[in-house]
Amino acid sequence: MATADLNGITFHINTKISTIKKSLQLRKIDEEPSLKTVLSKIVHEMFLLNNFLNQLELECHHQERQQNQLKELEESLEKDYNEAQHLMENIPIHLPKAILNSAVGLTVKNEEQHRDVEADRAKKPAKEAKCIKEAPFITAEEFEAVPAYMRGRLTYNQVNAVIQEINKAVVSKYKIMRQPAKSMSSAARNLYFRFQAEETKDTKGEFFIMEADIEEFRQLKADKRFHSVLTILRHCQRLREIRSSYLVRFAVC
């Protein structure tokens, strides 16, 4: 992360903290009706600051992982370079010239054959398997724009955790749908027939799940909080409902 960005983040955090400190200096705020709006503002500012710190923590973890990966890559490259340097410095000088020339010719021939094979593969591209569609995570800006009555006490991380579980359930379902019938277990075959029965003309080409699928594949209860998260996901256009035959299907947008 650049120094300018860190300075900007530090300034932003200090500004938020200063705002909260100034607001808390007001005495008996809960006893005067005229100052209740100030208390509400304090709560809102603390909520925004908490979300911002969570986002900063996630970014720090991401940068740390990238740094570790770069360090591992550097060590691997250094090892390969040392091995190549050793090979170059220890080439046997007693190899017969004819054998050396023959080996060089064989290498060139193999390289030409390899290029021909690659060219044939390029002319006949393999069919790519259709990916299973997953719902993107909610951004911090989107979560803050969600109306307060929808959010309730839900946090940004809780909403994205539910999205992650829903995506895993979708992947598990459609892996069964694409599995050859001969390789299915009895339980998987029963699920497959149930999934087929839930398909309608409105679900053609859609990736969807139902509450039963979430409870089947993930340890996630379809309780009141879960339905509150679904409301947010529909609001943010991550899921949409498909209703028919008294059944509710949640399709990935």
Side-chain angles (χ1 to χ4, degrees):
M1 188 177 292
T3 304
D5 292 338
L6 289 175
N7 290 335
I9 292 173
T10 303
F11 177 77
H12 182 75
I13 293 175
N14 289 336
T15 302
K16 292 290 185 182
I17 293 175
S18 177
T19 302
I20 294 172
K21 285 183 176 180
K22 289 179 181 179
S23 300
L24 289 176
Q25 290 175 355
L26 298 174
R27 300 297 181 89
K28 300 180 180 180
I29 190 171
D30 58 338
E31 297 178 3
E32 299 183 23
S34 62
L35 297 179
K36 286 186 177 180
T37 55
V38 179
L39 181 59
S40 299
K41 183 178 179 181
I42 292 173
V43 174
H44 180 67
E45 290 290 340
M46 291 181 67
F47 177 77
L48 293 179
L49 179 60
N50 181 63
N51 284 341
F52 184 78
L53 291 175
N54 289 338
Q55 187 178 2
L56 178 61
E57 183 179 3
L58 291 175
E59 180 64 23
C60 289
H61 289 325
H62 175 68
Q63 294 292 338
E64 185 178 358
R65 287 195 298 269
Q66 282 193 331
Q67 184 178 8
N68 292 335
Q69 291 173 357
L70 288 174
K71 185 176 180 180
E72 292 175 359
L73 180 61
E74 182 183 7
E75 292 175 353
S76 176
L77 290 174
E78 184 177 0
K79 181 180 178 181
D80 292 343
Y81 174 79
N82 291 335
E83 290 179 356
Q85 188 72 19
H86 176 74
L87 291 173
M88 185 176 66
E89 294 174 354
N90 294 274
I91 297 177
I93 59 176
H94 58 276
L95 289 177
K97 185 175 181 181
I99 295 178
L100 184 60
N101 291 336
S102 176
V104 172
L106 182 61
T107 301
V108 173
K109 184 178 181 180
N110 288 338
E111 289 180 354
E112 291 177 352
Q113 291 176 349
H114 179 70
R115 283 196 296 268
D116 292 339
V117 171
E118 292 295 331
D120 291 339
R121 289 179 180 175
K123 293 178 181 178
K124 301 178 181 179
K127 293 183 178 179
E128 296 182 358
K130 186 178 179 181
C131 296
I132 297 174
K133 190 175 182 180
E134 299 182 29
F137 288 121
I138 300 292
T139 65
E141 291 77 10
E142 286 178 307
F143 184 77
E144 291 176 8
V146 173
Y149 75 89
M150 286 188 186
R151 293 198 309 262
R153 295 184 179 181
L154 289 171
T155 65
Y156 167 77
N157 292 331
Q158 287 174 335
V159 174
N160 279 334
V162 173
I163 293 178
Q164 186 176 19
E165 293 299 306
I166 289 175
N167 285 337
K168 289 179 180 178
V170 172
V171 171
S172 298
K173 172 184 175 179
Y174 284 93
K175 279 185 178 180
I176 293 177
M177 295 286 285
R178 296 176 178 181
Q179 186 177 347
K182 294 181 180 180
S183 64
M184 286 185 183
S185 63
S186 177
R189 192 174 293 108
N190 291 336
L191 288 173
Y192 176 82
F193 291 139
R194 194 191 82 191
F195 297 153
Q196 287 288 345
E198 292 168 352
E199 294 280 349
T200 67
K201 63 179 182 179
D202 295 327
T203 63
K204 186 177 181 180
E206 300 284 352
F207 291 90
F208 71 91
I209 57 171
M210 303 175 66
E211 289 186 6
D213 302 329
I214 297 172
E215 295 178 350
E216 175 73 31
F217 296 114
R218 312 305 306 169
Q219 294 181 349
L220 187 65
K221 293 183 179 180
D223 53 12
K224 183 178 179 180
R225 190 180 75 169
F226 173 76
H227 285 281
S228 297
V229 175
L230 288 182
T231 301
I232 294 175
L233 298 185
R234 290 195 299 269
H235 175 79
C236 295
Q237 298 182 354
R238 294 302 191 274
L239 298 177
R240 65 184 183 89
E241 288 187 359
I242 302 176
R243 294 176 177 265
S244 63
S245 303
Y246 304 101
L247 296 177
V248 181
R249 301 160 178 83
F250 302 104
V252 178
C253 294

